[in-house]
Amino acid sequence: TDQPAINRTSTRILELNLKMMIGGSKVSTGAVTIAAFLLRPCFSFQVPNALETGSRGRFGAATTFLSSSVTEEPSSEISLDSEAIQLKDDLITLAAATRRGFSASRSDREKAKQIINNLAKYSPSDEPAAAYYKEGENSNTIDRSTIAGKWTLIYTDAPDITSLEGGPFSTAKLGRIGQECDPPMIKNVIEWQRPDWASSLPFSGGDSSRVLQKVCVVGTSTKENPKLVDLKLAGFELSGINDSDDNAVEGSTSFFNGPAGFLESNPVKLQGPLTAPFGKFEILYLDDGMRITKTFQGFFAVNIREENVWF
């Protein structure tokens, strides 16, 4: 597959859908401006055990990943091998030490790859992509774990994700990264925060304000390839969560309360009639609390299912 061609096609489809939505006056001009400003493609974003975070788990904040042997969701059906539990612990430790893989060295990435390949041998799910089977296809077995639900990224080596962190004067600060799997849709979620340098500026929103960018794709799988999910780009969403009244302008419109305040009142949902190829991913490992995928480009993503969802 020609990945640069897919990237160009997918970006063009988003642009065309955006133009059609603007032409139909379905979204406000301000919302479209923010959407265009934040829109950035993440084409290997395939992407979690519970997660405990410091400073709400923001990128760069103190973060502690709890042991898989302690935080595994209760299940009478799944009994993990002791070796698998140890491998999961090793992977979680490495993910925390490398800040989700953003600061991983080459040796760190090789170590993660080795752990992942070994852990894949212990995956308790025979049909991990069953939730995305095409209409009319049913799972051969009652699978004990499902890909459906909300997941949070704890490790990746995909360069289009690890390059998302901007410099000290970037216009937005990267927060958490996640994925919502609600068949047939898969939404790749990126959390953006107010940058530190803008904290004293008016109309910048509060300390807890955040913008959620979602790239929406349609996923399909088959019984012949029960670990593989094919993706087609479907649209784009932007929403805001203004958790704090810090810097809020009393009696003002949402525009003056920062991007998060504006998008909380004016969410953007761009899903036109056009779709485009978006690649595929293979599910290497799946249990109740952890999921590991490999993109068709060969990049890994490790996700955990958090007890307290953030999107």
Side-chain angles (χ1 to χ4, degrees), residues 91-164:
L91 187 55
I92 290 170
T93 299
L94 180 61
T98 61
R99 298 163 64 243
R100 298 187 293 190
F102 280 62
S103 60
S105 64
R106 178 178 296 182
S107 62
D108 290 329
R109 291 191 291 271
E110 285 299 321
K111 182 178 180 181
K113 181 179 180 180
Q114 182 179 14
I115 295 173
I116 288 170
N117 288 336
N118 288 333
L119 184 56
K121 303 172 185 177
Y122 296 97
S123 180
S125 299
D126 296 326
E127 298 179 79
Y132 285 89
Y133 281 174
K134 294 180 179 178
E135 188 175 354
E137 294 191 15
N138 297 314
S139 174
N140 292 324
T141 61
I142 300 177
D143 215 15
R144 296 175 294 183
S145 300
T146 178
I147 190 179
K150 295 184 177 182
W151 302 85
T152 296
L153 183 76
I154 65 168
Y155 175 83
T156 186
D157 59 356
D160 58 346
I161 299 299
T162 58
S163 63
L164 284 176

Side-chain angles (χ1 to χ4, degrees), residues 151-281:
W151 302 85
T152 296
L153 183 76
I154 65 168
Y155 175 83
T156 186
D157 59 356
D160 58 346
I161 299 299
T162 58
S163 63
L164 284 176
E165 183 189 22
F169 298 106
S170 58
T171 55
K173 183 170 67 173
L174 179 64
R176 291 164 289 193
I177 300 173
Q179 191 176 78
E180 179 178 7
C181 297
D182 185 13
M185 297 301 299
I186 297 176
K187 296 182 180 182
N188 299 322
V189 185
I190 301 177
E191 178 187 57
W192 296 103
Q193 302 172 266
R194 182 186 66 185
D196 295 335
W197 61 264
S199 59
S200 60
L201 296 180
F203 317 136
S204 61
D207 293 336
S208 302
S209 299
R210 50 203 176 102
V211 172
L212 298 182
Q213 171 188 332
K214 300 181 181 181
V215 177
C216 308
V217 300
V218 176
T220 56
S221 183
T222 64
K223 293 174 66 175
E224 287 73 24
N225 294 289
K227 297 182 179 182
L228 196 67
V229 180
D230 286 295
L231 304 172
K232 286 189 176 181
L233 183 64
F236 177 78
E237 295 179 9
L238 275 179
S239 61
I241 300 176
N242 199 20
D243 290 335
S244 173
D245 290 331
D246 299 344
N247 290 351
V249 180
E250 185 176 355
S252 69
T253 63
S254 58
F255 179 80
F256 294 102
N257 290 325
F262 180 80
L263 288 170
E264 187 173 40
S265 302
N266 303 274
V268 176
K269 186 175 183 179
L270 304 175
Q271 291 190 17
L274 304 177
T275 60
F278 201 68
K280 62 186 70 176
F281 66 81

